[in-house]
Amino acid sequence: MTAAVLAAVLGTVLAGCSSTGGKRAEERAAREAAAGGRAAVNTPKWTFAMVTHSGDGDTFWDIVQSGAKQAAVKDNIRFLYAHNEEGKEQSQLVQSYIDQKVDGLIVTLAKPDAMKAVVKKARKAGIPVITVNSGSEESKAFGALTHVGQDETIAGEAVGDELNKRGRKKALCVLHEQGNVGHEQRCDGAAKTFDGKMEKIYVEGTNMPDVQSSIEAKLQSDKGIDTVLTLGAPFADTAAKAADQAGSKAEIDTFDLNAKVAAALQDGTLGFAVDQQPYLQGYEAVDLLWLNRYNADVLGGGRPVLTGPQIITKDDAAELASYTKRGTR
Amino acid sequence: MSAEAPPVEELASRQPVRGSLPRRLAGRPELGAVVGAVAVFVFFSIVADAFLQWSSFSTVLYASSTIGIMAVPVALLMIGGEFDLSTGVLVTSSALISSMFSYQMTANVWVGAGVSLLATLAIGFFNGYLLVRTNLPSFIITLGTFLILQGCNLGFTKLISDTVSTKSIADMEGFPSAHKVFASHLTIGDVEVQITVLWWFALIALATWILLRTRAGNWIFAVGGAKEAARAVGVPVERTKIGLYLGVALAAWISGQHLLFNYDVVQSGEGVGNELLYIIAAVIGGCLLTGGYGSAVGAAVGAFIFGMTNKGIVYAQWGADWFKFFLGAMLLLATLLNWWVRKRAEESK
């Protein structure tokens, strides 16, 4: 009986094969770009840990991790990772790594006040700390070696400049997490340098149909909007759908990259993307910790090492498409 | 709902009340919700210029339908006296299973959708079966399922695709036809209507038919109103409850396929919190939290009130920072009006 069912299922599966796309196409591509994974140095196997404020299932932090892991393999490092979006929980995770006497720590300071004490504790315990992504202002004061990341306000300002260059008049900034300080900074930065008018809208980031219908509603009620700016890559495509449904000709621009954004840039659905190169944030953080352990090197001279903003348009997108597909851009 | 169990024959307040039209209307659970919906509609027609366009109406309908598709079976479940907290992430699970199965097996996307249907129904069955076997509160059981599914969504996606979102399946065979069925839009006159609206209406019709015209409908009211009395007169309580969970799973599958074929990439962390929206819609629509009373049409109207309020605030161009405040205040007002109308109606009976 079971065998018969299994056979029937398998039969359907085989009969229903797709000759386009899917895993087979991906594997074909992967065979061509196989990379080796051996340590390039013979320093002892140190342990570095990274603790971020990421929520569950966040594409962006996935890319940061893959950068960190790549550097860890090269530098002969054992790499540990943990995350929690609550500041208090995040600091407890850091504490647990201090207790385990790791050789280096990488943390984000999205909620700086919650992290202050524990970062100082790490330093007292002789563990070098590098901050990434958020916390460029507090990093030095808390005693971290270096900060690696993008200044959100500067990134926003770059967007404003780019919008001016494109002759835009009225833009809509789509925030997918109400109360996220970094998101506010991006929109405010863009509004600061943008000569046109900028409005904000909050949408429920965990509910795609809501994101779509809210943007749709906004575009229908205000025909003057000629630009929609989303703050995360997954929302750009949805914004394009919303504009299409609302019969709006607004250009869609976005922060951050993924495979779909790269493809949409190429076919002209999107205007431009602002990349803060998350892969670089993970990679550099691990590499700088290694350099510090091995050679007492410090980068940045007390100032943040910026990984963005890099404005990506149609011209660059073709080159980046294959990297976004493998999840490193 | 009073504490004493009414006789089973009377549980079904669905039998049309004889008498004049107002009297018959007063006996319907969705009466208050309809009045609330009209009030919300009139209100936004006045304060928001863009609200009274056909295109806006279509947007509002789309927003309502994505909640409404789930609110209908959730309402039935609540009439049957149970809760389901796992519905929000179940929708995401359903979309993830379809997408990953098609992609990993390089199969026609319809095969993935079929596998997903079986898996989603199995999860619904699991909820129902565990409930009737243990007699634990459905709140606890589905809370467990909610967390398990949330973990599985993330864990399996990461394990299988090595990233937290699925790969695009837009270039695979079967995608165009599946997209037509689950995510296309029809042009009626010069208005574009999303196909989810049709799915929604079909589900309302089906659920209303089951509730009012079949024996199973009788059973649903009976198990929600007075389980023991129902069991005593021979209502198959366990079968009814499991069936209700399967209904929820079926709707979750439809929603999940819409999510997948409309956006063709699914983020594994999505869906958390949506279960509340479905329950809210059912409650605004007149379902009692204690079970035994409510209607599918009411839940649909509840979803419509939520959709109108949610988008109406955007059309009215009110301050974005205060969005949630307005949303809460408007919903509370609509529900209060709903409650007041129903009370008046009951008094006049």
Side-chain angles (χ1 to χ4, degrees):
Chain A
M1 175 63 196
T2 327
V5 171
L6 204 67
V9 170
L10 273 177
T12 347
V13 170
L14 292 177
C17 273
S18 171
S19 57
T20 49
K23 186 167 181 144
R24 252 176 251 162
E26 180 198 33
E27 282 173 349
R28 230 174 291 135
R31 247 173 275 139
E32 292 154 21
R38 276 209 328 264
V41 295
N42 55 5
T43 45
K45 192 141 191 116
W46 290 316
T47 301
F48 294 165
M50 180 179 222
V51 184
T52 72
H53 66 276
S54 159
D56 276 341
D58 191 317
T59 325
F60 180 91
W61 288 101
D62 216 45
I63 302 175
V64 175
Q65 265 187 82
S66 85
K69 280 178 187 158
Q70 186 77 54
V73 168
K74 184 200 67 175
D75 294 339
N76 196 27
I77 299 295
R78 196 161 77 94
F79 177 73
L80 307 172
Y81 178 81
H83 66 96
N84 201 303
E85 54 219 307
E86 301 279 329
K88 183 175 59 96
E89 301 282 328
Q90 196 195 350
S91 73
Q92 283 169 13
L93 287 169
V94 176
Q95 181 61 51
S96 75
Y97 283 131
I98 295 173
D99 298 339
Q100 291 173 46
K101 300 195 171 57
V102 294
D103 301 293
L105 267 170
I106 301 158
V107 299
T108 63
L109 301 181
K111 280 101 180 174
D113 294 328
M115 298 293 289
K116 188 174 184 174
V118 80
V119 169
K120 289 197 164 154
K121 238 186 232 170
R123 201 177 144 220
K124 222 179 197 172
I127 301 171
V129 179
I130 284 185
T131 60
V132 294
N133 183 259
S134 37
S136 54
E137 318 240 307
E138 296 84 2
S139 177
K140 195 180 178 192
F142 289 6
L145 286 179
T146 308
H147 178 80
V148 183
Q150 161 178 275
D151 184 305
E152 300 294 8
T153 308
I154 292 177
E157 288 168 5
V159 170
D161 289 334
E162 182 69 23
L163 291 179
N164 291 339
K165 223 189 284 169
R166 288 164 178 258
R168 298 281 135 184
K169 298 278 171 284
K170 188 165 192 188
L172 179 68
C173 199
V174 183
L175 297 99
H176 58 269
E177 262 174 49
Q178 192 156 11
N180 183 317
V181 183
H183 288 184
E184 300 283 346
Q185 286 171 342
R186 287 179 176 182
C187 288
D188 293 344
K192 200 164 111 194
T193 51
F194 182 38
D195 295 330
K197 216 173 156 271
M198 170 138 326
E199 276 192 40
K200 283 183 193 171
I201 183 173
Y202 296 97
V203 296
E204 211 63 61
T206 52
N207 185 346
M208 259 325 168
D210 178 74
V211 175
Q212 179 178 337
S213 53
S214 293
I215 298 174
E216 234 175 89
K218 187 74 192 179
L219 290 175
Q220 282 161 350
S221 67
D222 190 347
K223 305 277 185 202
I225 294 171
D226 60 6
T227 309
V228 178
L229 176 67
T230 58
L231 300 186
F235 305 101
D237 184 55
T238 305
K241 269 208 175 64
D244 189 40
Q245 279 286 306
S248 162
K249 294 263 175 290
E251 176 183 283
I252 317 293
D253 303 312
T254 187
F255 278 84
D256 299 343
L257 264 185
N258 67 14
K260 281 197 93 171
V261 167
L265 283 171
Q266 265 174 285
D267 67 26
T269 323
L270 299 186
F272 65 89
V274 191
D275 192 15
Q276 60 168 311
Q277 308 192 78
Y279 184 84
L280 203 53
Q281 291 179 3
Y283 188 96
E284 283 302 310
V286 169
D287 221 19
L288 291 179
L289 273 180
W290 179 83
L291 279 168
N292 183 263
R293 276 266 158 194
Y294 175 68
N295 206 27
D297 283 329
V298 179
L299 203 64
R303 283 164 179 270
V305 179
L306 297 184
T307 59
Q310 187 193 19
I311 304 262
I312 292 166
T313 59
K314 193 172 185 169
D315 308 332
D316 325 293
E319 190 198 345
L320 298 182
S322 60
Y323 306 144
T324 54
K325 242 182 210 145
R326 71 177 186 198
T328 58
R329 275 304 289 259
Chain B
M1 201 70 206
S2 60
E4 310 97 79
V8 178
E9 305 84 77
E10 277 177 33
L11 281 169
S13 56
R14 63 213 171 68
Q15 246 74 16
V17 182
R18 270 172 243 281
S20 61
L21 183 70
R23 213 159 233 244
R24 283 212 308 263
L25 281 178
R28 306 287 321 151
E30 57 270 3
L31 169 75
V34 171
V35 174
V38 171
V40 171
F41 183 81
V42 170
F43 177 77
F44 280 114
S45 303
I46 295 168
V47 299
D49 296 334
F51 192 73
L52 275 184
Q53 297 165 352
W54 281 112
S55 57
S56 308
F57 191 65
S58 143
T59 305
V60 167
L61 267 187
Y62 173 58
S64 312
S65 71
T66 54
I67 298 168
I69 287 177
M70 288 304 289
V72 168
V74 165
L76 256 54
L77 184 69
M78 285 172 68
I79 296 171
E82 301 298 342
F83 265 106
D84 193 343
L85 295 180
S86 66
T87 49
V89 283
L90 183 58
V91 170
T92 311
S93 304
S94 178
L96 288 170
I97 295 169
S98 278
S99 169
M100 287 195 290
F101 190 88
S102 306
Y103 189 87
Q104 295 298 325
M105 299 293 168
T106 320
N108 187 303
V109 296
W110 280 105
V111 177
V115 170
S116 163
L117 176 62
L118 292 180
T120 313
L121 286 175
I123 297 166
F125 181 82
F126 173 80
N127 274 335
Y129 185 76
L130 211 60
L131 179 88
V132 298
R133 267 304 144 106
T134 60
N135 259 326
L136 285 168
S138 54
F139 193 89
I140 294 295
I141 288 177
T142 58
L143 179 67
T145 325
F146 163 70
L147 293 171
I148 290 172
L149 287 181
Q150 212 186 333
C152 285
N153 283 357
L154 189 59
F156 277 120
T157 311
K158 190 88 207 253
L159 194 71
I160 294 170
S161 6
D162 209 30
T163 59
V164 290
S165 65
T166 63
K167 307 268 170 63
S168 168
I169 59 162
D171 57 348
M172 296 183 69
E173 275 172 19
F175 190 88
S177 58
H179 183 270
K180 266 211 184 73
V181 172
F182 292 109
S184 59
H185 36 75
L186 317 162
T187 314
I188 300 171
D190 49 353
V191 190
E192 288 196 333
V193 177
Q194 296 271 354
I195 201 156
T196 48
V197 177
L198 297 190
W199 279 104
W200 183 34
F201 287 169
L203 281 176
I204 299 168
L206 178 68
T208 306
W209 178 74
I210 291 176
L211 272 183
L212 300 186
R213 291 268 174 273
T214 69
R215 208 159 49 142
N218 260 325
W219 294 345
I220 295 172
F221 280 105
V223 298
K227 196 169 92 181
E228 291 317 314
R231 200 191 300 273
V233 296
V235 171
V237 174
E238 310 198 337
R239 237 170 67 201
T240 307
K241 295 214 163 173
I242 291 179
L244 287 172
Y245 277 101
L246 287 178
V248 171
L250 177 69
W253 177 73
I254 297 172
S255 298
Q257 303 316 297
H258 168 68
L259 211 59
L260 171 61
F261 292 111
N262 199 28
Y263 303 108
D264 72 69
V265 170
V266 189
Q267 308 287 324
S268 57
E270 264 184 41
V272 180
N274 290 359
E275 63 282 345
L276 267 182
L277 300 186
Y278 311 144
I279 294 173
I280 290 169
V283 172
I284 297 176
C287 287
L288 289 184
L289 289 161
T290 44
Y293 187 81
S295 78
V297 175
V301 177
F304 186 54
I305 289 180
F306 190 84
M308 273 197 292
T309 313
N310 206 333
K311 299 302 160 246
I313 293 167
V314 181
Y315 287 119
Q317 311 240 351
W318 291 345
D321 293 338
W322 291 89
F323 179 80
K324 288 279 167 68
F325 171 83
F326 290 132
L327 187 62
M330 292 291 302
L331 285 178
L332 202 55
L333 284 176
T335 317
L336 281 176
L337 183 65
N338 173 348
W339 167 80
W340 181 75
V341 168
R342 209 161 51 199
K343 219 175 93 178
R344 291 290 300 257
E346 275 160 18
E347 276 167 5
S348 74
K349 244 198 268 191

